[in-house]
Amino acid sequence: MYDDVLGEIALTIIGFVRHGQTAWNKEGRVQGSSNIPLNDEGVQAAEKLATRLEGEHWDVIVTSPMNRAKHTAEILAARMPNVKVVEDDRVRERSSGLIEGTTEQERVRKWGPDWRELNMQFETADSVVARGMEFVEEQIHMNPDKRILVVSHGSFIKRMIVTLLEDDRYAVTIDNTSLTIIDVEGKSCSLLNCTAHLAGGTNGDSV
């Protein structure tokens, strides 16, 4: 199914941005579908990314409707006056079921060290990929030959990168405000999980 989608692609470029940091990120708590806002550090990091991106060409920003992603997208868009922001629920984070709001220590205390083997009512990986690929297909038809910036979440972005590139070697941890750029047609990644802006740079993590 996914090969059929990719076969229709012109020159669509997708840039995936993970939202800025939240209090739960800092505390090591699983967020999932919980609507947690950015903390001050997250806002500052998003501002640094906005400074980095303002000199680049992007045609549209698509954001998850969750507060932490939407706020990040709004900060980026403030430096791109001619780029509109569109919300799309399909790029939301994976629901983490019963473990949302917990740390690893709390999970072990509540369910034991083998809690991963229990049914924690997660959204399935197949469901996440299916809605993500539906979104990509639609963007290809709506915005052919465009550069689309997608502000989303770590787990979602990680799965989409691996699916679009068809390569498990790209299954890396996705950092807050990182930028990953994918040529969907060529199934290639020119930038992976890049956070050079946090160190004052503009380049880095090229692949």
Side-chain angles (χ1 to χ4, degrees):
M1 177 177 65
Y2 301 142
D3 286 339
D4 293 339
V5 172
L6 297 176
E8 300 175 5
I9 295 173
L11 294 171
T12 304
I13 301 297
I14 296 182
F16 287 105
V17 170
R18 186 186 177 194
H19 61 80
Q21 188 189 79
T22 70
W24 279 18
N25 285 147
K26 199 164 188 176
E27 295 168 8
R29 298 185 183 279
V30 174
Q31 293 181 121
S33 59
S34 300
N35 212 6
I36 309 303
L38 298 181
N39 61 14
D40 290 342
E41 188 173 341
V43 170
Q44 292 168 10
E47 292 281 5
K48 290 179 180 179
L49 178 59
T51 299
R52 171 184 181 174
L53 294 179
E54 66 180 336
E56 298 185 6
H57 173 75
W58 294 96
D59 294 291
V60 63
I61 298 174
V62 180
T63 182
S64 159
M66 305 181 85
N67 286 343
R68 56 194 184 272
K70 186 177 177 182
H71 191 182
T72 301
E74 290 169 346
I75 291 171
L76 301 183
R79 303 289 186 91
M80 305 176 188
N82 297 318
V83 179
K84 66 177 181 178
V85 177
V86 179
E87 292 184 32
D88 196 309
D89 190 58
R90 290 170 295 184
V91 303
R92 70 187 184 277
E93 181 59 295
R94 179 190 191 190
S95 171
S96 295
L98 300 178
I99 73 168
E100 290 193 8
T102 66
T103 64
E104 175 65 17
Q105 184 179 23
E106 290 168 346
R107 292 190 288 278
V108 170
R109 186 165 60 244
K110 185 172 184 178
W111 294 294
D114 297 326
W115 64 266
R116 291 176 179 81
E117 299 177 12
L118 304 176
N119 179 7
M120 292 299 176
Q121 302 177 21
F122 287 11
E123 178 183 7
T124 67
D126 286 345
S127 172
V128 175
V129 170
R131 61 177 164 85
M133 288 305 296
E134 180 184 88
F135 163 78
V136 169
E137 179 180 14
E138 183 177 287
Q139 289 302 310
I140 290 164
H141 292 297
M142 290 176 58
N143 297 298
D145 300 313
K146 297 293 179 64
R147 289 171 58 86
I148 304 161
L149 199 61
V150 178
V151 184
S152 185
H153 308 266
S155 179
F156 176 86
I157 294 172
K158 180 177 180 177
R159 283 175 171 78
M160 291 308 300
I161 293 170
V162 171
T163 300
L164 289 170
L165 299 177
E166 300 179 354
D167 192 337
D168 288 338
R169 290 177 298 176
Y170 288 94
V172 301
T173 298
I174 304 299
D175 295 321
N176 291 109
T177 72
S178 68
L179 175 64
T180 296
I181 299 179
I182 294 178
D183 173 349
V184 186
E185 180 188 31
K187 298 182 183 179
S188 64
C189 179
S190 60
L191 206 61
L192 178 64
N193 190 44
C194 182
T195 56
H197 50 281
L198 299 182
T202 57
N203 298 306
D205 296 341
S206 296
V207 294

